[in-house]
């Protein structure tokens, strides 16, 4: 019997993409493509997380003594607990000293448990890029912090498949985790890793045709962000779309082991978003893009610079960026400096503008701060600048764009209410301007309707609908 996913999609293979997904039928914007629970869920970055609620902890299960379990949680997955509890002579202290071991132990227990062996075998059909990873820094990291502690712990003496487990096999498992896992929100702070085998089949594209959302029960929902025709490859973006081409390609090269050649990456202007573009070093009004593999060229005066010169310039800016200013005034000063060197839509400038807009949001939402008109005007300008970029790189349904439109529409409404109170606007003027906010809020709500309810975006949607209701009441009263 076909599953929900298999009715809409087919899994194909070719030399360029390897295994990938194509639409079997026409899909409409917002249509769900896949619902999937993780085959494996684990902490990341060497953290110790409770295996029941997944919050940071320093406590362990009092039955098996190996599994992280916070003081509020009384139990975790029964099979894992009972299996680990039989292992009476393990070097538990060494395992606890290396938190990265627990994700691998969970993976090994999938193979032991008759109920989850199929999950284990399914993961092993995925890609792990073993040869590309061999002897790289990540390979050596896992060897020291996960694999050797497990081999030295004595745990293999208790596993049915111990004869096939050695360092090479465990490195394979680490590869499966890294290549096929998704970063997901932790319930407290930070992030975790979840292995979603079917979700990982989607090919990468920096202009992907799907959105991915993961709810508080860690169920992944993949839905179309635009109409997808039957036979079209179904894609997902593996990186942050607000990074520029060089940064996105670096992440993909180091983590996914391929060089992206999507239409955005291949266009030096990034489809006109100019998120990599610099101000010309020769003429005051020109902009420089990467013209060839080794050179940058001004679009206006045709002046050229070598990669080496540009790399030094960008490296210096990125070093300063690591020491990000914290106060609003410091961020504005940093922005002014950047605007003299890089395009106003460069990804570093967009990042700073987002941070400033967030700081202004906090000021506006603080009742005691009594923000003046300039605060609202500045936030409105920033939202418009950010939206100009997002509209180019995410032209269809987009969470980021929906939130930016909402921020603009909400601030626009409050700003014009303030102008009305100061007698600058009459009732008709205010009503017309509030109608503009009404359109923006409706647009943002429409894009978030496809998000699962139990996500931050789903919860924001509820607040947005309440705000729209109040806005429409004001508009009626002004009639």
């Amino acid at each position: 019997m076909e599953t929900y996913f298999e009715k809409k999609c087919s899994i194909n293979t070719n030399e360029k993409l390897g295994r990938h997904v194509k639409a079997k039928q026409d899909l409409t914007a917002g249509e769900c493509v896949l619902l999937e629970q993780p085959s494996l869920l684990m902490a990341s970055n060497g953290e110790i997380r409770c295996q029941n609620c997944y919050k940071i902890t320093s406590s362990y299960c009092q039955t098996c003594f190996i599994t992280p379990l916070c003081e509020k949680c009384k139990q975790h997955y029964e099979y894992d607990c009972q299996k680990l509890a039989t292992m009476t002579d393990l070097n538990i202290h060494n395992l606890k000293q290396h938190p990265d071991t627990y994700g691998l132990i969970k993976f090994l227990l999938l193979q032991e448990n008759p109920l989850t062996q199929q999950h284990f075998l399914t993961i092993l059909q995925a890609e792990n890029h073993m040869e590309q990873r061999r002897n790289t820094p990540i390979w050596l990291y896992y060897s020291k912090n996960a694999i050797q502690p497990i081999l030295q712990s004595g745990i293999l003496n208790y596993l049915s498949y111990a004869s096939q487990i050695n360092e090479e096999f465990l490195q394979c498992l680490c590869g499966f985790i890294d290549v096929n896992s998704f970063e997901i929100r932790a319930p407290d702070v930070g992030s975790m890793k979840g292995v979603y085998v079917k979700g990982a089949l989607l090919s990468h594209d920096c202009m992907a045709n799907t959105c991915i959302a993961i709810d508080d029960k860690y169920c992944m929902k993949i839905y179309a962000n635009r109409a997808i025709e039957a036979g079209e490859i179904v894609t997902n973006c593996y990186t942050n779309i607000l990074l520029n081409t060089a940064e996105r390609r670096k992440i993909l090269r180091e983590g996914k082991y391929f060089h992206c050649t999507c239409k955005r990456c291949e266009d030096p202007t990034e489809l006109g978003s100019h998120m990599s573009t610099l101000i010309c070093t020769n003429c005051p009004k020109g902009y420089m893009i990467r013209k060839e593999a080794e050179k940058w060229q001004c679009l206006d005066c045709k002046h050229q610079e070598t990669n080496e010169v540009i790399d030094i310039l960008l490296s210096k800016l990125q070093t300063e960026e690591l020491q990000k200013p914290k106060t609003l005034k410091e961020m504005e000063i940093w922005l002014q400096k950047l605007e003299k060197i890089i395009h106003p839509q460069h990804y570093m400038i967009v990042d700073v503008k987002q941070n400033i807009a967030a700081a202004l949001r906090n000021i506006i939402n603080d009742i005691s701060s009594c923000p003046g008109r300039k605060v609202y005007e500045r936030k409105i300008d920033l939202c418009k600048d950010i939206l100009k970029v997002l509209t180019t790189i995410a032209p269809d349904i987009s969470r980021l764009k929906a939130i930016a439109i909402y921020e603009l529409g909400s601030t626009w409404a409050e700003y014009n209410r303030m102008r009305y109170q100061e007698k600058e606007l009459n009732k008709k003027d205010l009503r017309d301007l509030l109608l503009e906010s009404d359109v923006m809020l409706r647009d943002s709500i429409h894009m978030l309707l496809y998000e699962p309810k139990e996500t931050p975006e789903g919860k924001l949607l509820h607040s947005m609908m309440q705000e729209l209701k109040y806005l429409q009441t004001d508009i009626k009263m002004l009639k």
Side-chain angles (χ1 to χ4, degrees):
M1 183 177 176
E2 284 187 319
T3 66
Y4 179 82
F5 173 68
E6 290 166 343
K7 286 180 181 178
K8 298 187 176 185
C9 301
S10 62
I11 299 172
N12 301 266
T13 304
N14 65 28
E15 188 174 338
K16 181 181 178 182
L17 296 175
R19 291 204 303 167
H20 59 281
V21 175
K22 284 186 178 181
K24 273 187 180 180
Q25 60 191 51
D26 291 346
L27 303 172
T28 59
E31 184 171 352
C32 183
V33 175
L34 172 66
L35 291 172
E36 183 181 10
Q37 288 288 346
S39 298
L40 202 58
L41 193 61
M42 65 192 73
S44 58
N45 305 319
E47 294 176 336
I48 303 172
R49 289 190 174 274
C50 172
Q51 291 303 299
N52 184 55
C53 70
Y54 291 100
K55 293 181 179 178
I56 294 285
T57 186
S58 58
S59 304
Y60 290 83
C61 174
Q62 294 304 299
T63 301
C64 68
F65 300 107
I66 295 175
T67 305
L69 197 68
C70 72
E71 294 178 355
K72 291 183 179 180
C73 295
K74 303 302 180 184
Q75 61 187 12
H76 58 102
Y77 186 53
E78 185 178 2
Y79 178 89
D80 289 4
C81 187
Q82 291 180 355
K83 182 72 176 179
L84 292 170
T86 64
M87 304 178 185
T88 55
D89 59 348
L90 299 186
N91 186 346
I92 292 176
H93 176 73
N94 193 33
L95 292 175
K96 289 181 177 179
Q97 289 289 101
H98 297 89
D100 288 310
T101 57
Y102 193 73
L104 265 183
I105 291 172
K106 281 186 73 173
F107 202 164
L108 291 170
L109 291 178
L110 286 180
Q111 187 181 27
E112 294 290 307
N113 186 349
L115 297 177
T116 59
Q117 279 181 359
Q118 189 56 49
H119 289 299
F120 183 87
L121 296 173
T122 302
I123 296 174
L124 262 58
Q125 294 174 21
E127 182 60 80
N128 66 4
H129 294 295
M130 189 71 166
E131 292 310 312
Q132 292 96 323
R133 293 168 61 88
R134 191 176 298 279
N135 296 324
T136 62
I138 192 67
W139 177 286
L140 299 176
Y141 173 86
Y142 280 128
S143 179
K144 176 182 177 181
N145 295 288
I147 294 171
Q148 291 305 321
I150 285 176
L151 293 175
Q152 295 163 11
S153 69
I155 198 171
L156 299 192
N157 297 329
Y158 297 90
L159 299 181
S160 307
Y161 299 90
S163 60
Q164 65 182 263
I165 300 172
N166 53 27
E167 180 163 2
E168 184 86 357
F169 181 77
L170 293 176
Q171 283 286 3
C172 274
L173 299 191
C174 291
F176 287 124
I177 291 170
D178 283 354
V179 174
N180 299 283
S181 66
F182 291 75
E183 183 178 290
I184 55 182
R185 295 185 184 99
D188 42 14
V189 293
S191 62
M192 305 187 301
K193 291 190 289 190
V195 176
Y196 296 84
V197 180
K198 288 183 179 177
L201 287 171
L202 270 63
S203 303
H204 165 79
D205 196 304
C206 294
M207 299 285 287
N209 53 25
T210 66
C211 293
I212 291 183
I214 299 175
D215 66 19
D216 62 347
K217 298 292 188 293
Y218 309 112
C219 178
M220 171 186 282
K221 176 183 180 182
I222 300 181
Y223 62 91
N225 63 31
R226 61 168 174 79
I228 300 175
E229 295 181 359
E232 188 176 346
I233 295 174
V234 183
T235 58
N236 165 41
C237 183
Y238 297 173
T239 68
N240 182 350
I241 64 169
L242 288 175
L243 295 174
N244 72 341
T245 295
E247 293 298 317
R248 294 194 314 278
R249 279 178 163 170
K250 179 182 177 184
I251 291 169
L252 294 170
R253 184 172 62 251
E254 294 178 354
K256 302 297 183 180
Y257 308 98
F258 71 89
H259 178 76
C260 184
T261 56
C262 74
K263 62 181 181 180
R264 180 180 169 191
C265 286
E266 291 291 273
D267 181 355
T269 71
E270 298 203 37
L271 306 178
S273 68
H274 291 287
M275 295 188 76
S276 300
T277 303
L278 311 178
I279 292 176
C280 181
T281 56
N282 183 61
C283 67
K285 295 182 180 180
Y287 291 112
M288 300 189 75
I289 60 171
R290 175 167 276 166
K291 193 69 174 176
E292 303 168 11
E294 302 298 327
K295 291 181 180 178
W296 289 66
Q297 181 172 299
C298 177
L299 293 168
D300 191 15
C301 72
K302 308 304 178 186
H303 171 71
Q304 291 188 340
E305 292 284 7
T306 63
N307 266 356
E308 184 179 4
V309 170
I310 299 301
D311 286 347
I312 291 171
L313 173 66
L314 292 175
S315 178
K316 183 179 178 182
L317 288 179
Q318 288 166 346
T319 300
E320 290 186 64
E321 181 77 8
L322 291 175
Q323 306 163 353
K324 284 187 176 181
K326 295 180 181 179
T327 68
L328 186 58
K329 183 177 179 181
E330 287 171 337
M331 285 192 285
E332 291 283 14
I333 292 171
W334 174 237
L335 178 60
Q336 289 173 13
K337 178 176 180 177
L338 289 177
E339 288 175 333
K340 296 176 182 177
I341 303 170
I342 54 183
H343 192 282
Q345 292 177 195
H346 192 279
Y347 87 100
M348 291 178 68
I349 284 183
V350 173
D351 182 56
V352 177
K353 286 183 175 180
Q354 283 188 307
N355 291 332
I356 295 173
L360 295 176
R361 182 200 311 124
N362 293 335
I363 293 172
I364 290 170
N365 291 339
D366 182 358
I367 302 173
S368 64
S369 67
C370 299
R373 285 176 55 167
K374 287 186 177 180
V375 172
Y376 287 89
E377 289 167 353
R378 180 60 175 146
K379 188 184 174 193
I380 289 166
D381 288 341
L382 290 168
C383 287
K384 288 179 178 178
D385 291 346
I386 294 166
L387 266 172
K388 187 175 180 181
V389 175
L390 286 172
T391 302
T392 302
I393 63 174
D396 305 296
I397 296 172
S398 160
R399 278 192 297 272
L400 287 173
K401 191 168 65 175
I403 293 169
I405 292 172
Y406 164 67
E407 290 278 352
L408 176 58
S410 179
T411 309
W412 184 244
E414 286 302 309
Y415 171 65
N416 287 303
R417 288 186 181 111
M418 182 183 293
R419 293 173 67 197
Y420 174 73
Q421 290 171 356
E422 294 175 0
K423 311 297 182 184
E424 184 178 326
L425 300 175
N426 59 36
K427 285 187 177 182
K428 182 182 181 305
D429 292 336
L430 177 59
R431 182 174 180 274
D432 290 344
L433 293 167
L434 291 184
L435 282 169
E436 293 179 9
S437 290
D438 177 87
V439 171
M440 286 186 267
L441 262 61
R442 284 172 181 271
D443 284 348
S444 55
I445 286 170
H446 176 74
M447 282 189 274
L448 292 184
L449 282 174
Y450 309 105
E451 292 288 307
K453 291 181 180 179
E454 297 305 318
T455 61
E457 292 80 14
K459 293 171 183 176
L460 174 62
L461 175 64
H462 179 73
S463 299
M464 289 163 60
M465 293 177 80
Q466 287 294 110
E467 188 169 337
L468 178 62
K469 183 179 177 181
Y470 297 143
L471 178 66
Q472 290 174 337
T473 299
D474 285 353
I475 291 169
K476 288 178 182 177
M477 291 177 66
L478 290 165
K479 225 173 189 179

